[in-house]
Amino acid sequence: MSGRLRQVSTLQQGFTLIELMLVIVIIGVFAGMVSLSVGGEGERRLLLLRERLVDNLAIIRLESQDQGRVLGLQQMPTQTGQAAGYQVVGFAPTAEDVAERWPVASDFKMQPLPDRVRLQVTPLQNRTTQRVTSRDAQIWQDATTPQLLWFGNGEATPARLQLWQDQQPIGAPLYVSATGQVSDDEQGDAP
């Protein structure tokens, strides 16, 4: 009997081809997972940046409506020592100087954008020098007026927003409707 046990133990001294292939497949799966998590980190950050923009637009809309304030989204170009970004400004109807008509809204922080990233806001209606009348405010639209406005009554200027990095779009464009809703298309489908 001891001879038979010795024979069985000598037969089991190595890995079978199936066991080796299984180990190689498992190592390949783990290597693929690691490469996806490392390679996609930058893209995930950029998509999170887009989601933060969506959240900020919703907050601006709610604050404008709750407080009955005219708010605008102003793009900040890259300047020496300062990253590009965007900030919220409020309409000051009593300002005599045109440069002081849109001061920074102190209850909102400037949102910086990473290097080589910029925000493009394109109005969806003809933007000529015109007077916009809303329920509570009369605003002269000129070169100092932000391209995206919320009027404090639930209305907004329709606009298309797109984040760009190195001339490549980051995700799909966002749209703000005349009712201030943010969506992934001009028809109003939620992002």
Side-chain angles (χ1 to χ4, degrees):
M1 183 139 186
S2 68
R4 186 176 171 143
L5 285 174
R6 211 175 308 173
Q7 223 178 16
V8 170
S9 67
T10 58
L11 292 176
Q12 301 253 339
Q13 284 184 356
F15 295 106
T16 65
L17 184 58
I18 293 176
E19 290 171 331
L20 284 174
M21 290 180 69
L22 184 63
V23 169
I24 291 172
V25 167
I26 290 172
I27 290 172
V29 168
F30 283 135
M33 289 171 47
V34 168
S35 70
L36 283 176
S37 68
V38 171
E41 184 177 338
E43 188 175 327
R44 274 198 313 272
R45 266 196 205 134
L46 293 175
L47 290 176
L48 285 173
L49 180 69
R50 181 182 181 275
E51 292 304 314
R52 185 173 39 160
L53 174 61
V54 170
D55 292 342
N56 287 338
L57 294 173
I59 291 170
I60 296 167
R61 176 180 177 258
L62 289 173
E63 287 296 316
S64 171
Q65 196 167 358
D66 287 347
Q67 298 174 9
R69 292 171 55 190
V70 177
L71 297 175
L73 186 75
Q74 187 175 55
Q75 301 163 70
M76 303 299 298
T78 304
Q79 296 176 354
T80 307
Q82 183 180 356
Y86 57 92
Q87 66 185 7
V88 180
V89 294
F91 181 62
T94 59
E96 293 179 22
D97 187 10
V98 173
E100 297 173 2
R101 192 175 295 155
W102 293 98
V104 174
S106 60
D107 43 344
F108 292 94
K109 294 189 318 184
M110 189 259 198
Q111 298 294 318
L113 296 172
D115 288 338
R116 304 181 340 259
V117 174
R118 66 182 175 87
L119 172 65
Q120 179 184 22
V121 178
T122 307
L124 295 177
Q125 59 189 13
N126 187 10
R127 181 175 151 74
T128 58
T129 302
Q130 59 184 336
R131 189 175 199 149
V132 176
T133 306
S134 73
R135 185 170 47 115
D136 299 320
Q138 292 182 341
I139 302 165
W140 285 98
Q141 282 194 326
D142 55 24
T144 63
T145 304
Q147 294 178 322
L148 179 53
L149 298 173
W150 291 266
F151 295 107
N153 60 359
E155 297 175 2
T157 55
R160 177 184 187 268
L161 292 86
Q162 178 69 61
L163 286 166
W164 295 86
Q165 180 183 34
D166 298 331
Q167 308 303 322
Q168 296 295 320
I170 299 172
L174 296 169
Y175 294 90
V176 176
S177 70
T179 59
Q181 297 290 328
V182 179
S183 63
D184 279 338
D185 58 33
E186 289 187 68
Q187 285 72 38
D189 294 337

